Amino acid sequence: MLSKVALLVIPGLQPFEFSVVCEVFGIDRSDQGGPAFDLRIVTKDPGPVRMNLSDDGARGFDMIVDDDLSFAAEADLVVITGRGGSRAGAVDEAYLDVLRAAEARGAWVLSVCSGSFVLGQAGLLDGRRSTTHWMYTSEQQTTFPGTTVDPDVLFVEDRKVITGAGTAAGIDACLHLVRQEYGAASANVIARRMVVPPQRDGGQAQYVLSPVAAQQCESLAPVVDWMLDHLAEDLPIGRLARQAHMSERTFARRFRSELGSTPAAWLNRQRLFRAQEMLERTDHGVERIAADTGFGTAAVLRHHFDRVLGTTPAAYRRSFGVRESA
């Protein structure tokens, strides 16, 4: 079980990504049913470490780090975040050795934003899929040809190495790992405290610079809230479009633009989230959960569990169903 987390501090670190990791893994939320982690902030040479506020390093501040790298040798997760300046600039071998050792012993390794370039220097991206901030995906593919870079996703998990896209996508990557280790309910506790969605659908392609539409329409948020309140019902696109007072074509286009996914794919993911929570928090049978979440039958629910999560509802309940009572 994920318990000990080592956050590597390399000179030039970007403070936002660093703070994301501290927010997810550094706060004890056990009183609300969430997990508690032993997070240590570590660096090669304890003392002041320069943090960058700009890529050129012209602005920044010093952070005092008390712990050296020794704790990382026993960590269940080692995290590296983005840094300013040259993404492909040389990194001290001491940090690369920590990352290599973590991967070799089967610990989780996670990067946020351009921290993926450090994983590349450590050789951890070779033979794996990866991602990074959309501005740097081509550079990462060229610099590390042994990896297959996916420019459209918010994060990639490949054999216990997780690479997150830019800045806020680090939240998605961290919550994904919490969900893998502790279940959906625990990830939701953290997400609620951070006031963020437990998991966003779609990818980072929606954030790439593109021409702004001539007219800005009202958000689909009210319709999305309505969809979440009616997950158990049949929700064809025609019904959703009528709820939004739009044509089906306009609704489908607007939905993909705002949420980065088709309405059907988004609904299936939300229904799966709801099913995970019910398996964790209730003793309802699979047939009832399938009906209450809009999947209809247990067979359809099992199909989606296998396709998306690679497990069965029964196995998921065995792994996470006791969390609430515990």
mmCIF file of all heavy atoms in Angstrom, residues 142-170:
data_model
loop_
_atom_site.group_PDB
_atom_site.id
_atom_site.type_symbol
_atom_site.label_atom_id
_atom_site.label_comp_id
_atom_site.label_asym_id
_atom_site.label_seq_id
_atom_site.Cartn_x
_atom_site.Cartn_y
_atom_site.Cartn_z
ATOM 1 N N THR A 142 11.641 13.906 -29.514
ATOM 2 C CA THR A 142 12.934 14.007 -30.200
ATOM 3 C C THR A 142 14.098 13.703 -29.255
ATOM 4 O O THR A 142 15.054 13.013 -29.619
ATOM 5 C CB THR A 142 13.105 15.419 -30.789
ATOM 6 O OG1 THR A 142 12.038 15.684 -31.703
ATOM 7 C CG2 THR A 142 14.433 15.544 -31.514
ATOM 8 N N THR A 143 14.000 14.223 -28.030
ATOM 9 C CA THR A 143 15.090 14.049 -27.061
ATOM 10 C C THR A 143 15.186 12.613 -26.572
ATOM 11 O O THR A 143 16.292 12.095 -26.358
ATOM 12 C CB THR A 143 14.881 14.986 -25.856
ATOM 13 O OG1 THR A 143 14.728 16.331 -26.323
ATOM 14 C CG2 THR A 143 16.069 14.908 -24.903
ATOM 15 N N PHE A 144 14.036 11.958 -26.425
ATOM 16 C CA PHE A 144 14.000 10.584 -25.916
ATOM 17 C C PHE A 144 13.230 9.696 -26.891
ATOM 18 O O PHE A 144 12.053 9.380 -26.680
ATOM 19 C CB PHE A 144 13.350 10.550 -24.529
ATOM 20 C CG PHE A 144 13.967 11.508 -23.546
ATOM 21 C CD1 PHE A 144 13.273 12.632 -23.116
ATOM 22 C CD2 PHE A 144 15.260 11.308 -23.072
ATOM 23 C CE1 PHE A 144 13.843 13.526 -22.228
ATOM 24 C CE2 PHE A 144 15.841 12.199 -22.178
ATOM 25 C CZ PHE A 144 15.132 13.311 -21.758
ATOM 26 N N PRO A 145 13.853 9.301 -27.992
ATOM 27 C CA PRO A 145 13.155 8.534 -29.025
ATOM 28 C C PRO A 145 12.696 7.153 -28.566
ATOM 29 O O PRO A 145 11.874 6.525 -29.237
ATOM 30 C CB PRO A 145 14.197 8.418 -30.148
ATOM 31 C CG PRO A 145 15.522 8.624 -29.475
ATOM 32 C CD PRO A 145 15.266 9.581 -28.358
ATOM 33 N N GLY A 146 13.180 6.696 -27.424
ATOM 34 C CA GLY A 146 12.772 5.387 -26.930
ATOM 35 C C GLY A 146 11.387 5.360 -26.327
ATOM 36 O O GLY A 146 10.849 4.285 -26.041
ATOM 37 N N THR A 147 10.781 6.543 -26.119
ATOM 38 C CA THR A 147 9.430 6.593 -25.584
ATOM 39 C C THR A 147 8.447 6.951 -26.682
ATOM 40 O O THR A 147 8.818 7.522 -27.707
ATOM 41 C CB THR A 147 9.328 7.637 -24.445
ATOM 42 O OG1 THR A 147 8.023 7.589 -23.877
ATOM 43 C CG2 THR A 147 9.577 9.043 -24.959
ATOM 44 N N THR A 148 7.185 6.617 -26.466
ATOM 45 C CA THR A 148 6.114 7.040 -27.359
ATOM 46 C C THR A 148 5.307 8.102 -26.632
ATOM 47 O O THR A 148 4.622 7.812 -25.649
ATOM 48 C CB THR A 148 5.199 5.859 -27.742
ATOM 49 O OG1 THR A 148 5.979 4.851 -28.393
ATOM 50 C CG2 THR A 148 4.083 6.318 -28.667
ATOM 51 N N VAL A 149 5.424 9.335 -27.082
ATOM 52 C CA VAL A 149 4.787 10.461 -26.404
ATOM 53 C C VAL A 149 3.360 10.629 -26.913
ATOM 54 O O VAL A 149 3.128 10.716 -28.117
ATOM 55 C CB VAL A 149 5.584 11.757 -26.625
ATOM 56 C CG1 VAL A 149 4.898 12.933 -25.932
ATOM 57 C CG2 VAL A 149 7.012 11.605 -26.126
ATOM 58 N N ASP A 150 2.424 10.664 -25.988
ATOM 59 C CA ASP A 150 1.024 10.922 -26.328
ATOM 60 C C ASP A 150 0.736 12.383 -25.999
ATOM 61 O O ASP A 150 0.679 12.759 -24.830
ATOM 62 C CB ASP A 150 0.100 10.006 -25.517
ATOM 63 C CG ASP A 150 -1.343 10.069 -25.980
ATOM 64 O OD1 ASP A 150 -1.714 11.096 -26.589
ATOM 65 O OD2 ASP A 150 -2.104 9.110 -25.746
ATOM 66 N N PRO A 151 0.531 13.221 -27.012
ATOM 67 C CA PRO A 151 0.374 14.659 -26.755
ATOM 68 C C PRO A 151 -1.026 15.070 -26.334
ATOM 69 O O PRO A 151 -1.248 16.236 -25.997
ATOM 70 C CB PRO A 151 0.730 15.277 -28.115
ATOM 71 C CG PRO A 151 0.278 14.252 -29.103
ATOM 72 C CD PRO A 151 0.541 12.909 -28.455
ATOM 73 N N ASP A 152 -1.977 14.143 -26.343
ATOM 74 C CA ASP A 152 -3.380 14.520 -26.180
ATOM 75 C C ASP A 152 -3.969 14.208 -24.813
ATOM 76 O O ASP A 152 -5.113 14.557 -24.547
ATOM 77 C CB ASP A 152 -4.232 13.811 -27.238
ATOM 78 C CG ASP A 152 -3.886 14.259 -28.653
ATOM 79 O OD1 ASP A 152 -3.518 15.436 -28.814
ATOM 80 O OD2 ASP A 152 -3.964 13.437 -29.577
ATOM 81 N N VAL A 153 -3.208 13.552 -23.943
ATOM 82 C CA VAL A 153 -3.784 13.087 -22.676
ATOM 83 C C VAL A 153 -3.312 13.951 -21.510
ATOM 84 O O VAL A 153 -2.338 14.696 -21.613
ATOM 85 C CB VAL A 153 -3.418 11.617 -22.416
ATOM 86 C CG1 VAL A 153 -4.028 10.711 -23.473
ATOM 87 C CG2 VAL A 153 -1.898 11.434 -22.386
ATOM 88 N N LEU A 154 -4.008 13.845 -20.392
ATOM 89 C CA LEU A 154 -3.635 14.583 -19.192
ATOM 90 C C LEU A 154 -2.559 13.853 -18.390
ATOM 91 O O LEU A 154 -1.782 14.486 -17.674
ATOM 92 C CB LEU A 154 -4.857 14.820 -18.311
ATOM 93 C CG LEU A 154 -5.961 15.688 -18.937
ATOM 94 C CD1 LEU A 154 -7.168 15.761 -18.019
ATOM 95 C CD2 LEU A 154 -5.445 17.088 -19.258
ATOM 96 N N PHE A 155 -2.509 12.543 -18.492
ATOM 97 C CA PHE A 155 -1.447 11.770 -17.850
ATOM 98 C C PHE A 155 -1.383 10.395 -18.496
ATOM 99 O O PHE A 155 -2.320 9.955 -19.166
ATOM 100 C CB PHE A 155 -1.669 11.631 -16.335
ATOM 101 C CG PHE A 155 -2.947 10.926 -15.953
ATOM 102 C CD1 PHE A 155 -3.010 9.541 -15.886
ATOM 103 C CD2 PHE A 155 -4.094 11.650 -15.665
ATOM 104 C CE1 PHE A 155 -4.187 8.889 -15.548
ATOM 105 C CE2 PHE A 155 -5.274 11.015 -15.322
ATOM 106 C CZ PHE A 155 -5.319 9.632 -15.269
ATOM 107 N N VAL A 156 -0.266 9.724 -18.303
ATOM 108 C CA VAL A 156 -0.062 8.363 -18.799
ATOM 109 C C VAL A 156 0.492 7.520 -17.660
ATOM 110 O O VAL A 156 1.420 7.956 -16.952
ATOM 111 C CB VAL A 156 0.918 8.329 -19.992
ATOM 112 C CG1 VAL A 156 1.318 6.888 -20.319
ATOM 113 C CG2 VAL A 156 0.315 8.991 -21.222
ATOM 114 N N GLU A 157 -0.067 6.340 -17.470
ATOM 115 C CA GLU A 157 0.517 5.364 -16.550
ATOM 116 C C GLU A 157 1.012 4.185 -17.366
ATOM 117 O O GLU A 157 0.259 3.594 -18.142
ATOM 118 C CB GLU A 157 -0.502 4.875 -15.528
ATOM 119 C CG GLU A 157 0.065 3.797 -14.607
ATOM 120 C CD GLU A 157 -0.998 3.003 -13.863
ATOM 121 O OE1 GLU A 157 -2.093 3.543 -13.633
ATOM 122 O OE2 GLU A 157 -0.731 1.823 -13.549
ATOM 123 N N ASP A 158 2.269 3.848 -17.224
ATOM 124 C CA ASP A 158 2.841 2.711 -17.929
ATOM 125 C C ASP A 158 3.780 1.974 -16.986
ATOM 126 O O ASP A 158 4.880 2.448 -16.681
ATOM 127 C CB ASP A 158 3.602 3.171 -19.179
ATOM 128 C CG ASP A 158 3.970 2.015 -20.103
ATOM 129 O OD1 ASP A 158 4.111 0.873 -19.616
ATOM 130 O OD2 ASP A 158 4.112 2.245 -21.323
ATOM 131 N N ARG A 159 3.327 0.846 -16.465
ATOM 132 C CA ARG A 159 4.126 -0.002 -15.588
ATOM 133 C C ARG A 159 4.722 0.782 -14.418
ATOM 134 O O ARG A 159 5.917 0.774 -14.190
ATOM 135 C CB ARG A 159 5.213 -0.725 -16.392
ATOM 136 C CG ARG A 159 4.670 -1.832 -17.286
ATOM 137 C CD ARG A 159 5.734 -2.385 -18.207
ATOM 138 N NE ARG A 159 6.120 -1.407 -19.207
ATOM 139 C CZ ARG A 159 7.367 -1.198 -19.610
ATOM 140 N NH1 ARG A 159 8.361 -1.883 -19.068
ATOM 141 N NH2 ARG A 159 7.636 -0.302 -20.529
ATOM 142 N N LYS A 160 3.817 1.439 -13.678
ATOM 143 C CA LYS A 160 4.131 2.133 -12.425
ATOM 144 C C LYS A 160 4.967 3.396 -12.615
ATOM 145 O O LYS A 160 5.477 3.957 -11.646
ATOM 146 C CB LYS A 160 4.796 1.198 -11.409
ATOM 147 C CG LYS A 160 3.941 -0.016 -11.041
ATOM 148 C CD LYS A 160 4.411 -0.718 -9.793
ATOM 149 C CE LYS A 160 4.029 0.043 -8.539
ATOM 150 N NZ LYS A 160 4.270 -0.737 -7.306
ATOM 151 N N VAL A 161 5.094 3.852 -13.857
ATOM 152 C CA VAL A 161 5.681 5.158 -14.121
ATOM 153 C C VAL A 161 4.577 6.045 -14.683
ATOM 154 O O VAL A 161 3.999 5.737 -15.723
ATOM 155 C CB VAL A 161 6.862 5.080 -15.099
ATOM 156 C CG1 VAL A 161 7.328 6.482 -15.492
ATOM 157 C CG2 VAL A 161 8.013 4.296 -14.483
ATOM 158 N N ILE A 162 4.269 7.132 -13.973
ATOM 159 C CA ILE A 162 3.192 8.038 -14.366
ATOM 160 C C ILE A 162 3.797 9.368 -14.783
ATOM 161 O O ILE A 162 4.592 9.956 -14.042
ATOM 162 C CB ILE A 162 2.199 8.268 -13.213
ATOM 163 C CG1 ILE A 162 1.570 6.941 -12.781
ATOM 164 C CG2 ILE A 162 1.114 9.263 -13.621
ATOM 165 C CD1 ILE A 162 0.656 7.065 -11.569
ATOM 166 N N THR A 163 3.431 9.830 -15.981
ATOM 167 C CA THR A 163 3.858 11.144 -16.441
ATOM 168 C C THR A 163 2.618 12.003 -16.611
ATOM 169 O O THR A 163 1.660 11.608 -17.268
ATOM 170 C CB THR A 163 4.619 11.059 -17.778
ATOM 171 O OG1 THR A 163 3.896 10.210 -18.698
ATOM 172 C CG2 THR A 163 6.003 10.479 -17.578
ATOM 173 N N GLY A 164 2.625 13.178 -15.993
ATOM 174 C CA GLY A 164 1.504 14.094 -16.081
ATOM 175 C C GLY A 164 1.816 15.229 -17.031
ATOM 176 O O GLY A 164 2.973 15.610 -17.216
ATOM 177 N N ALA A 165 0.772 15.783 -17.633
ATOM 178 C CA ALA A 165 0.946 16.926 -18.523
ATOM 179 C C ALA A 165 1.138 18.190 -17.686
ATOM 180 O O ALA A 165 1.465 18.119 -16.504
ATOM 181 C CB ALA A 165 -0.248 17.037 -19.466
ATOM 182 N N GLY A 166 0.930 19.338 -18.273
ATOM 183 C CA GLY A 166 1.294 20.590 -17.621
ATOM 184 C C GLY A 166 0.526 20.917 -16.358
ATOM 185 O O GLY A 166 -0.664 20.668 -16.246
ATOM 186 N N THR A 167 1.229 21.475 -15.402
ATOM 187 C CA THR A 167 0.742 22.088 -14.168
ATOM 188 C C THR A 167 -0.471 21.388 -13.571
ATOM 189 O O THR A 167 -0.318 20.392 -12.892
ATOM 190 C CB THR A 167 0.442 23.590 -14.423
ATOM 191 O OG1 THR A 167 -0.436 23.730 -15.529
ATOM 192 C CG2 THR A 167 1.725 24.342 -14.709
ATOM 193 N N ALA A 168 -1.689 21.902 -13.838
ATOM 194 C CA ALA A 168 -2.873 21.368 -13.161
ATOM 195 C C ALA A 168 -3.131 19.904 -13.493
ATOM 196 O O ALA A 168 -3.775 19.199 -12.709
ATOM 197 C CB ALA A 168 -4.107 22.199 -13.510
ATOM 198 N N ALA A 169 -2.636 19.423 -14.626
ATOM 199 C CA ALA A 169 -2.799 18.002 -14.941
ATOM 200 C C ALA A 169 -2.034 17.136 -13.948
ATOM 201 O O ALA A 169 -2.303 15.938 -13.843
ATOM 202 C CB ALA A 169 -2.325 17.708 -16.367
ATOM 203 N N GLY A 170 -1.096 17.740 -13.213
ATOM 204 C CA GLY A 170 -0.440 17.001 -12.138
ATOM 205 C C GLY A 170 -1.432 16.576 -11.074
ATOM 206 O O GLY A 170 -1.263 15.521 -10.442
#
